[in-house]
Every structure is written in C-alpha cells, then in structure tokens.
C-alpha cells in the first residue's frame, strides 16, 4: 500500500468550522477514487496548514489521482500543495484487531 501525505497553507481567516464544511463538501469526491482505501482530512489551525492523508492500494493509483489537474484544483481551492509518497509495508488495525503486512 501507499500513503500520500498532502499539506497546504490555509487562510489565516479560515476558522475550523468553515474548514470542516469545506472538507465535508469535497468528501463525496473520494468515495469512488480508484484504489483509494481511506482518506483522513487533517488540519492545524495554529499554523494555518491543512491537508489529507491518503491510503492507496498502489503507487500507480496514487500518482494517477494526483495528476496535474488535481494539483491545480487544490492550488486554486487552498494553496499549492506539498505531496509526500510513502510505502506502507505494515498496518496495525485496532478496529479489526489485525496486523496487515
């Protein structure tokens, strides 16, 4: 599996409730993303940064999702994003009680 950590600067004037609504507005876009297993929205209102942590099944699907069009969309909606791609060799799932390797 692949983890993608996306962060971007948010406006100093954007409060947590408005940001949450913006996140909820876009959440349905991710329900049918090819290979996306999970997305967690993240925010640090103190440093004015937000983003998402994505878990994809393959690097191919992760890279396909974050194409130039998606980067442009994120940049226009918030600001230019920083993306980091990581291999995810082991998962501890406390909901199912599994360790997946």
């Amino acid at each position: 599996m692949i983890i993608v950590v996306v962060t971007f600067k948010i406006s100093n004037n954007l409060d947590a409730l408005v940001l949450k609504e913006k996140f909820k507005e876009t959440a349905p876009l991710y329900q049918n993303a090819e290979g996306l297993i999970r997305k967690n929205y993240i925010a640090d209102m103190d440093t004015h940064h937000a983003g998402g942590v994505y878990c994809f099944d393959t690097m191919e699907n992760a890279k396909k999702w974050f194409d130039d069009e998606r980067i442009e969309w994120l940049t226009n909606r918030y600001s230019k994003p920083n993306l980091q791609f990581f291999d995810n060799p082991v998962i501890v799932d406390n909901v199912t009680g599994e360790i997946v390797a």
Side-chain angles (χ1 to χ4, degrees):
M1 282 187 259
I2 302 298
I3 299 295
V4 184
V5 178
V6 178
T7 55
F8 45 79
K9 185 97 170 113
I10 56 173
S11 168
N12 295 355
N13 300 326
L14 190 62
D15 71 36
L17 291 176
V18 172
L19 181 62
K20 183 176 181 179
E21 288 305 312
K22 287 177 79 76
F23 285 168
K24 286 171 50 179
E25 176 184 296
T26 62
L29 298 172
Y30 300 95
Q31 289 184 304
N32 295 314
E34 186 175 349
L36 181 65
I37 297 165
R38 178 182 304 265
K39 177 188 179 180
N40 294 302
Y41 289 87
I42 57 175
D44 182 339
M45 301 309 290
D46 292 334
T47 65
H48 307 289
H49 283 85
V53 178
Y54 302 73
C55 180
F56 281 92
D57 58 353
T58 66
M59 182 65 81
E60 179 183 0
N61 282 331
K63 295 271 188 178
K64 187 166 41 169
W65 178 259
F66 288 106
D67 61 10
D68 290 341
E69 186 177 322
R70 179 113 19 234
I71 300 304
E72 182 179 349
W73 182 85
L74 284 166
T75 301
N76 292 335
R77 186 166 174 88
Y78 299 105
S79 65
K80 185 165 176 55
N82 178 49
L83 282 74
Q84 296 176 282
F85 293 80
F86 299 92
D87 286 322
N88 182 203
V90 177
I91 297 172
V92 176
D93 187 331
N94 287 332
V95 173
T96 64
E98 296 178 302
I99 296 175
V100 181

